[in-house]
Amino acid sequence: MTSGWLPHSLLGYVQDFALKVLAAGPIPRHVAFVMDGNRRYARKHNKQIQQGHSAGFVALRRVLEVCLKLNIRCVSAYAFSIENFKRSPDEVDALMKLAEDKLLELCQHGNLLDEYGVRLNVIGRTEMFPEPVQAAIRKAEAMTRQNKRSILNLCMPYTSRDEITTSVETCVRKAVETDCIVTEKDINDNLLTNLGGSPPLDILIRTSGVKRLSDYLLWQCCEDTQIQYTDTYWPDFGLFDFIPIILDYQRKMWAKSAPSS
Ligand code: FPP
Ligand code: MG
């Protein structure tokens, strides 16, 4: 949702005030995004598909900053599904180039992850990416390894079933070696998100009016996750879409903790 009706000079004050009010209530520990609608955004604005994905990256940066200002400890974003390799070579190449260029930029000294002490985890089958993208990922992760305040999980190339299968494989191998049985806790602890230290998933948000999980964090959202859908295309998603979602989370948390009469 855009906020074009507000003069730009006022917008910053309104946003900071809104964030301060929100921060006084319960804050989710972990929020995940299915960043959907980049191509429809591009078509709507007569732009090329690549420009839609670039606008998606700008939105990711903007939304991440809002989350960090709210002291949300962990943000996960679905940046590339294993299924996305089936898209046209032009689109896949554009996404690879975006990842290669923007990952390092995000981690530079003085940039967002450095400023807020965010550790970057790239989660998924990174070996499927071209070597220059893998190199950028290694470098970007190394640049943020010492950061302890927050976590950004960029899931790419990722699917949840692949993550669960890999975890089960690891658990079975260990169980055979040690003659133990595999428990639910073992599978949970060996998920890539949990190996990276992510707290339980409190909110999962999907943009663009599509109501599907698309193989994203299926295990993680089985516990107490609030699933939220919004019609806004991802590149347009901003604070004014996020506020009602956080307020809804806070209302449910207060209702849970209220003494029953
Ligand atoms: C889904 O919209 C979006 C993607 C497949 C790519 C998401 C990538 C970004 C937001 C760029 C960010 C990140 C990095 C680090 C490279 P869609 O393409 O399915 O659009 P549609 O639903 O309108 O068809
Ligand atoms: Mg889509």
Side-chain angles (χ1 to χ4, degrees), residues 105-197:
E105 187 187 301
L106 206 58
C107 303
Q108 290 299 337
H109 182 64
N111 211 317
L112 197 60
L113 302 197
D114 181 50
E115 186 187 340
Y116 286 92
V118 184
R119 180 186 169 131
L120 170 74
N121 298 322
V122 177
I123 287 183
R125 291 216 170 259
T126 50
E127 72 277 8
M128 294 173 87
F129 279 150
E131 179 47 36
V133 181
Q134 292 185 39
I137 290 171
R138 283 194 296 272
K139 203 165 165 193
E141 285 186 327
M143 283 163 87
T144 64
R145 199 165 287 147
Q146 306 307 323
N147 293 345
K148 299 275 185 287
R149 215 174 112 193
S150 309
I151 297 168
L152 170 63
N153 294 320
L154 270 186
C155 301
M156 57 180 206
Y158 174 91
T159 61
S160 199
R161 282 178 291 182
D162 180 68
E163 183 191 27
I164 296 169
T165 307
T166 307
S167 170
V168 171
E169 275 169 10
T170 308
C171 293
V172 169
R173 210 171 306 116
K174 280 186 199 159
V176 169
E177 279 166 18
T178 56
D179 205 16
C180 294
I181 55 157
V182 174
T183 65
E184 185 182 308
K185 183 176 180 312
D186 295 330
I187 297 175
N188 186 64
D189 292 350
N190 280 284
L191 294 173
L192 295 168
T193 40
N194 291 339
L195 290 172

Side-chain angles (χ1 to χ4, degrees), residues 36-37 40 87:
D36 199 17
R40 277 167 285 161
R87 293 191 176 186

Side-chain angles (χ1 to χ4, degrees), residues 49-260:
I49 285 175
Q50 291 93 309
Q51 292 173 298
H53 291 312
S54 297
F57 178 81
V58 174
L60 173 61
R61 203 185 177 292
R62 183 176 67 235
V63 173
L64 182 60
E65 183 154 26
V66 166
C67 292
L68 295 170
K69 282 185 175 169
L70 278 175
N71 275 323
I72 293 171
R73 171 144 171 74
C74 179
V75 172
S76 297
Y78 205 0
F80 194 89
S81 159
I82 292 174
E83 295 296 310
N84 290 151
F85 281 114
K86 294 179 187 155
R87 293 191 176 186
S88 76
D90 277 358
E91 185 180 351
V92 173
D93 286 352
L95 279 163
M96 296 301 105
K97 186 89 187 67
L98 193 64
E100 192 186 334
D101 291 349
K102 297 295 178 184
L103 272 181
L104 290 172
E105 187 187 301
L106 206 58
C107 303
Q108 290 299 337
H109 182 64
N111 211 317
L112 197 60
L113 302 197
D114 181 50
E115 186 187 340
Y116 286 92
V118 184
R119 180 186 169 131
L120 170 74
N121 298 322
V122 177
I123 287 183
R125 291 216 170 259
T126 50
E127 72 277 8
M128 294 173 87
F129 279 150
E131 179 47 36
V133 181
Q134 292 185 39
I137 290 171
R138 283 194 296 272
K139 203 165 165 193
E141 285 186 327
M143 283 163 87
T144 64
R145 199 165 287 147
Q146 306 307 323
N147 293 345
K148 299 275 185 287
R149 215 174 112 193
S150 309
I151 297 168
L152 170 63
N153 294 320
L154 270 186
C155 301
M156 57 180 206
Y158 174 91
T159 61
S160 199
R161 282 178 291 182
D162 180 68
E163 183 191 27
I164 296 169
T165 307
T166 307
S167 170
V168 171
E169 275 169 10
T170 308
C171 293
V172 169
R173 210 171 306 116
K174 280 186 199 159
V176 169
E177 279 166 18
T178 56
D179 205 16
C180 294
I181 55 157
V182 174
T183 65
E184 185 182 308
K185 183 176 180 312
D186 295 330
I187 297 175
N188 186 64
D189 292 350
N190 280 284
L191 294 173
L192 295 168
T193 40
N194 291 339
L195 290 172
S198 306
L201 181 59
D202 293 316
I203 306 179
L204 179 111
I205 301 169
R206 182 171 188 147
T207 55
S208 88
V210 176
K211 295 193 171 75
R212 283 186 279 121
L213 291 175
S214 297
D215 220 339
Y216 190 50
L217 303 181
L218 301 181
W219 179 289
Q220 292 83 344
C221 62
C222 281
E223 229 174 289
D224 219 2
T225 308
Q226 299 179 15
I227 299 177
Q228 298 272 357
Y229 297 104
T230 165
D231 287 339
T232 306
Y233 294 153
W234 173 253
D236 281 330
F237 188 88
L239 181 62
F240 294 101
D241 301 277
F242 202 36
I243 287 174
I245 293 173
I246 298 294
L247 286 176
D248 189 53
Y249 171 82
Q250 296 186 328
R251 189 179 54 73
K252 286 172 182 156
M253 296 309 282
W254 278 318
K256 248 192 205 175
S257 60
S260 48

